[in-house]
Amino acid sequence: MLKMASRFFCLEGIDGSGKTTQMDLLERSLRDMGYECVRVREPGGSRISEAIRALLLDPAYKGLMGDRAELLLYNAARAQVIEEVIQPALNAGKVVLADRFAWSTLAYQGFGRGLNTSMVANLSEITCGECFPELTIVLDMDVKEGRLRMASEGKQPDRLESEKEDFFERVRKGYQQIAKDFPECVSLVNASQSRDAMHEIILQLIKSKL
């Protein structure tokens, strides 16, 4: 049973869906409205979590890191940032914005890697405790379109980003299934529309919870 934390929000989606841009816009809008925001990225957000991030995304470990090891490392990074950053911020009445959180692990390691989804979900419950976002917004985009966006930015892909297209198709379908299964806390937003249109939808969804 998921235990939601008020004022904790997350943006999810495959790479290239515009999460970083939308997070920038959302944070700016909420600050303009007078909210004090704490922003984290996953994996990362604390010194230990960032060290785990470097390990997880290093292309040198492509083909070497086992799927279960990957799953546990993501949860270890998450447990640390919850204890060190997220929970203290929520306790202080701040708004927490996460660029990915536990649903990404279910989408990527569960649906993408093919690990048992019940096991992945149970591990997330252990890791998160009572600190689960009350609203997660998934930016849904065609995989080919997302990969073209990434390529146009000229960024060198990390270990996860260099996976094949069919992997990301499974991840996208995973996100869609999650939104279908948990409509009370996960909303799907079309990421192919304009930046401003997306921002307005996202902002209104967040404001409905504040």
Side-chain angles (χ1 to χ4, degrees):
M1 184 70 178
L2 300 178
K3 297 179 181 178
M4 310 297 175
S6 296
R7 293 196 169 195
F8 184 12
F9 306 105
C10 177
L11 294 187
E12 292 274 9
I14 62 171
D15 294 300
S17 59
K19 285 189 288 71
T20 302
T21 297
Q22 291 302 322
M23 186 68 82
D24 290 342
L25 293 170
L26 176 60
E27 182 181 16
R28 188 179 307 129
S29 292
L30 291 177
R31 289 188 184 279
D32 288 346
M33 292 164 59
Y35 292 100
E36 189 173 356
C37 301
V38 171
R39 178 172 167 178
V40 297
R41 67 174 181 174
E42 277 235 337
S46 74
R47 184 177 177 184
I48 291 173
S49 301
E50 289 290 337
I52 297 173
R53 177 189 180 89
L55 180 64
L56 277 164
L57 302 185
D58 191 337
Y61 297 120
K62 184 172 174 60
L64 295 176
M65 186 177 293
D67 294 346
R68 289 175 181 268
E70 179 182 81
L71 170 68
L72 293 169
L73 283 169
Y74 272 108
N75 278 278
R78 183 169 303 128
Q80 182 65 29
V81 77
I82 288 172
E83 182 173 342
E84 187 175 342
V85 179
I86 296 174
Q87 194 63 66
L90 293 173
N91 291 344
K94 299 175 183 178
V95 173
V96 175
L97 303 175
D99 183 342
R100 298 195 186 284
F101 203 66
W103 291 128
S104 65
T105 300
L106 185 57
Y108 278 77
Q109 280 68 54
F111 289 90
R113 297 293 191 208
L115 293 176
N116 182 280
T117 54
S118 294
M119 175 189 70
V120 175
N122 289 338
L123 184 55
S124 288
E125 289 187 31
I126 294 169
T127 299
C128 298
E130 297 183 1
C131 195
F132 213 90
E134 68 170 321
L135 178 63
T136 295
I137 299 170
V138 177
L139 307 185
D140 182 51
M141 168 171 277
D142 177 78
V143 171
K144 287 185 172 62
E145 185 179 350
R147 288 169 76 87
L148 284 173
R149 280 191 186 181
M150 293 288 291
S152 69
E153 296 173 0
K155 178 188 173 187
Q156 190 69 24
D158 61 35
R159 188 180 66 87
L160 266 292
E161 292 168 346
S162 63
E163 289 290 341
K164 294 180 179 179
E165 194 170 298
D166 61 341
F167 172 78
F168 293 103
E169 292 287 0
R170 294 194 298 274
V171 171
R172 184 191 183 195
K173 289 177 181 176
Y175 275 129
Q176 291 171 340
Q177 187 63 49
I178 290 166
K180 182 178 179 180
D181 291 343
F182 298 90
E184 70 282 2
C185 61
V186 182
S187 294
L188 209 65
V189 172
N190 178 7
S192 296
Q193 57 191 311
S194 73
R195 184 195 72 169
D196 291 343
M198 283 175 63
H199 171 58
E200 187 58 34
I201 293 170
I202 291 169
L203 183 59
Q204 291 305 316
L205 286 169
I206 299 293
K207 285 170 66 176
S208 71
K209 298 291 186 178
L210 292 171

